[in-house]
């Protein structure tokens, strides 16, 4: 059951990454970052609370579900809030078949990289459980979440510059 719960939480997380990409592309990195920080903190608090209530290993996948669901709902709310503003701009897109292929190719690789990274990041818990035991997984997961939170904050700060740099270099070419 624990693996099914973790799989569901990971599905929410992958769904959130897709919405987050659109939100960031529409120049709203700050709100996306705030949602992800809140989701991570809620996930850590949930995991620690459930551990103290003797939920055992179920605390870890339930923490993942909390992260994925809060982040998905938050990113979706941001997207629904900013879409009317974007639509009111009456953006028009002119794509040729070659342009669409050119855009889809890197998106496919990005999706593959995200799925691979998610599998790699979540499989370490299973390996530690097999090698050392259940109690070590709990300690490792909590320690890793704290490190992941710090890494996420640094990553969001650096990715906040990506659209601005793209715009800057795009204007230089025109």
């Amino acid at each position: 059951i624990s693996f099914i719960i973790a799989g569901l939480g990971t599905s929410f997380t992958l769904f959130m990454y897709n919405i987050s990409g659109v939100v960031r592309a529409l120049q709203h990195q700050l709100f996306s970052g705030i949602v992800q920080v809140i989701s991570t903190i809620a996930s850590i608090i949930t995991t620690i609370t459930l551990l103290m209530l003797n939920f055992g290993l179920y605390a870890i996948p339930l923490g993942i579900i909390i992260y994925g669901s809060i982040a998905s709902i938050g990113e979706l709310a941001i997207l629904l809030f900013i879409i009317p503003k974007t639509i009111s701009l009456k953006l028009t897109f002119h794509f040729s078949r070659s342009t669409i292929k050119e855009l889809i190719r890197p998106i496919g690789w990005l999706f593959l990289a995200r799925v691979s990274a998610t599998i790699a990041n979540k499989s370490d818990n299973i390996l530690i459980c097999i090698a050392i035991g259940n109690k070590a997984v709990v300690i490792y997961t909590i320690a890793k979440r704290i490190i992941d939170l710090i890494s996420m904050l640094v990553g969001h700060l650096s990715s906040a510059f990506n659209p601005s740099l793209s715009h800057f270099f795009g204007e230089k070419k025109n």
Side-chain angles (χ1 to χ4, degrees), residues 79-109:
L79 186 62
L80 292 175
F81 178 75
I82 62 176
I83 279 180
K85 293 180 180 180
T86 305
I87 291 175
S88 69
L89 296 175
K90 297 184 180 174
L91 298 175
T92 58
F93 297 100
H94 302 283
F95 289 116
S96 66
R97 198 170 216 159
S98 63
T99 305
I100 291 173
K101 285 181 183 179
E102 196 175 315
L103 290 173
I104 289 176
R105 189 172 300 132
I107 291 170
W109 286 111

Side-chain angles (χ1 to χ4, degrees), residues 61-161:
L62 289 172
I64 294 170
I65 280 188
I66 293 297
Y67 171 79
S69 58
I70 290 174
S72 293
I73 291 168
E75 294 285 354
L76 195 57
I78 293 168
L79 186 62
L80 292 175
F81 178 75
I82 62 176
I83 279 180
K85 293 180 180 180
T86 305
I87 291 175
S88 69
L89 296 175
K90 297 184 180 174
L91 298 175
T92 58
F93 297 100
H94 302 283
F95 289 116
S96 66
R97 198 170 216 159
S98 63
T99 305
I100 291 173
K101 285 181 183 179
E102 196 175 315
L103 290 173
I104 289 176
R105 189 172 300 132
I107 291 170
W109 286 111
L110 180 62
F111 176 76
L112 183 63
R114 289 279 189 172
V115 169
S116 301
T118 302
I119 291 170
N121 287 334
K122 305 301 178 195
S123 65
D124 55 351
N125 292 338
I126 296 169
L127 297 175
I128 289 172
C129 182
I130 291 169
I132 301 174
N134 297 344
K135 291 181 182 178
V137 172
V138 174
I139 294 167
Y140 172 76
T141 301
I142 291 172
K144 189 173 183 242
R145 288 244 176 109
I146 294 167
I147 293 168
D148 288 345
L149 177 63
I150 294 166
S151 299
M152 181 187 66
L153 289 172
V154 172
H156 287 313
L157 287 174
S158 64
S159 70
F161 290 105

